[in-house]
């Protein structure tokens, strides 16, 4: 039996990596304390997480940085409600699908990159949107093909229950919509989204359900957000 630990999640409402972790915590039925980083100074947060990135999960006296490391910890420790499929091939497929989002797509499109493009390279709003749309279209085409090649059409990405791949996909689709990406060419991705969004673990993890959900100033660098990372 797993000892109950106090879990504190440091994040922001519009942080999609944090949204992945929130979905996972809800899917596993775990209680946690929401710690809004927007209420801290940069120095205060770096004293907790030297990487300075969000999310981070405090487990008793230890802080785990990076969403993938957090998800792996939750999956290894809280095994009653697994996020990964049962068979090894499907687990590998779910990991590969998710890593395309978390390791290849999200890092190219997040706030730090857009800010650098604007402030250091003097890219226009139109150029930044073109950058974003380019990487989303490449990624989503590959994700759509991955679902097309499954051995059978599961209800969700790689299982008949939502899990690892789905919790990566839904926040990325939400971000793509905020940046006015054309998603019509990805019917399988949208079908998965349709099945997920009404479920409580996804609904409760949405940005607008978080205690620090702010008013938003819309710009191409940062549509629908005022601070932090998406």
């Amino acid at each position: 039996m797993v000892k109950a630990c106090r879990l504190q999640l440091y994040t922001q409402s519009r942080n999609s990596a944090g949204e992945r972790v929130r979905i996972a915590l809800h899917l596993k039925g775990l209680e946690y304390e929401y710690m809004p980083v927007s209420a801290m100074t940069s120095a205060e947060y770096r004293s907790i997480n030297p990487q300075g990135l969000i999310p981070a999960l405090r487990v008793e006296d230890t802080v785990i940085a990076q969403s993938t490391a957090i998800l792996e910890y939750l999956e290894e420790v809280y095994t009653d409600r697994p996020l990964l499929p049962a068979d090894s091939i499907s687990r590998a497929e779910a990991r590969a699908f998710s890593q395309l989002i978390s390791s290849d797509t999200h890092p190219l499109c997040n706030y730090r990159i857009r800010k650098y493009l604007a402030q250091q390279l003097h890219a226009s709003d139109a150029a930044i949107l073109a950058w974003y749309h380019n990487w989303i279209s490449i990624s989503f085409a590959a994700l759509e093909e991955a679902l097309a090649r499954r051995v059978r059409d599961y209800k969700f990405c790689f299982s008949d229950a939502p899990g690892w791949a789905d919790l990566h996909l839904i926040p990325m689709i939400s971000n793509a919509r905020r940046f006015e990406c054309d998603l019509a060419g990805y019917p399988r991705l949208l079908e998965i989204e349709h099945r997920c969004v009404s479920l409580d673990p996804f609904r409760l993890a949405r940005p607008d359900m978080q205690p620090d959900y702010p008013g938003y100033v819309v710009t191409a660098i940062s549509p629908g957000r005022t601070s932090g990372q998406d």
Side-chain angles (χ1 to χ4, degrees), residues 56-131:
L57 183 71
R58 182 186 292 278
V59 184
E60 301 296 346
D61 296 325
T62 300
V63 174
I64 305 170
Q66 295 289 340
S67 63
T68 300
I70 295 168
L71 293 172
E72 289 173 348
Y73 166 79
L74 295 174
E75 186 74 344
E76 291 168 4
V77 173
Y78 300 97
T79 58
D80 288 348
R81 302 182 187 180
L83 301 172
L84 286 163
D87 72 278
S88 57
I89 292 296
S90 294
R91 285 199 300 274
E93 289 178 320
R95 287 188 175 106
F97 185 97
S98 302
Q99 282 180 234
L100 181 58
I101 295 170
S102 64
S103 300
D104 291 306
T105 309
H106 183 231
L108 287 169
C109 298
N110 71 18
Y111 176 66
R112 290 196 300 168
I113 299 301
R114 301 195 309 274
K115 182 179 178 182
Y116 186 88
L117 290 171
Q119 296 184 354
Q120 301 302 317
L121 301 183
H122 309 293
S124 66
D125 281 3
I128 294 170
L129 284 175
W131 168 277

Side-chain angles (χ1 to χ4, degrees), residues 13-14 178-179 213-219 221-227:
S13 60
R14 279 290 190 186
R178 287 169 49 220
F179 284 86
Y213 184 75
Y216 297 110
V217 177
V218 177
T219 71
I221 299 173
S222 181
R225 57 192 302 288
T226 55
S227 62

Side-chain angles (χ1 to χ4, degrees), residues 8-211:
Q8 293 179 304
L9 181 64
Y10 293 87
T11 187
Q12 291 182 0
S13 60
R14 279 290 190 186
N15 175 232
S16 61
E19 186 175 351
R20 295 173 207 152
V21 175
R22 297 195 298 265
I23 295 169
L25 288 162
H26 288 299
L27 284 171
K28 286 184 171 289
L30 298 174
E31 294 184 1
Y32 67 96
E33 184 178 0
Y34 187 100
M35 307 294 288
V37 175
S38 54
M40 305 176 187
T41 66
S42 176
E44 287 172 335
Y45 183 56
R46 284 186 180 275
S47 71
I48 295 166
N49 174 17
Q51 291 189 15
L53 302 173
I54 47 181
L57 183 71
R58 182 186 292 278
V59 184
E60 301 296 346
D61 296 325
T62 300
V63 174
I64 305 170
Q66 295 289 340
S67 63
T68 300
I70 295 168
L71 293 172
E72 289 173 348
Y73 166 79
L74 295 174
E75 186 74 344
E76 291 168 4
V77 173
Y78 300 97
T79 58
D80 288 348
R81 302 182 187 180
L83 301 172
L84 286 163
D87 72 278
S88 57
I89 292 296
S90 294
R91 285 199 300 274
E93 289 178 320
R95 287 188 175 106
F97 185 97
S98 302
Q99 282 180 234
L100 181 58
I101 295 170
S102 64
S103 300
D104 291 306
T105 309
H106 183 231
L108 287 169
C109 298
N110 71 18
Y111 176 66
R112 290 196 300 168
I113 299 301
R114 301 195 309 274
K115 182 179 178 182
Y116 186 88
L117 290 171
Q119 296 184 354
Q120 301 302 317
L121 301 183
H122 309 293
S124 66
D125 281 3
I128 294 170
L129 284 175
W131 168 277
Y132 195 102
H133 289 183
N134 175 69
W135 298 116
I136 289 294
S137 65
I138 292 172
S139 173
F140 279 26
L143 296 173
E144 180 76 10
E145 182 63 20
L147 295 186
R149 295 188 181 194
R150 293 174 297 177
V151 293
R152 70 179 180 88
D153 287 333
Y154 298 104
K155 186 176 180 181
F156 295 92
C157 284
F158 295 98
S159 174
D160 288 325
W164 195 274
D166 311 278
L167 65 85
H168 284 80
L169 176 62
I170 301 311
M172 197 73 247
I173 289 179
S174 296
N175 276 351
R177 278 211 177 87
R178 287 169 49 220
F179 284 86
E180 301 177 349
C181 295
D182 182 1
L183 304 181
Y186 317 112
R188 292 177 179 84
L189 301 184
L190 297 181
E191 183 179 5
I192 298 295
E193 181 198 31
H194 177 73
R195 289 173 176 163
C196 287
V197 293
S198 63
L199 302 177
D200 275 352
F202 293 85
R203 183 182 62 81
L204 294 171
R206 284 188 338 227
D208 62 326
M209 296 294 286
Q210 310 317 308

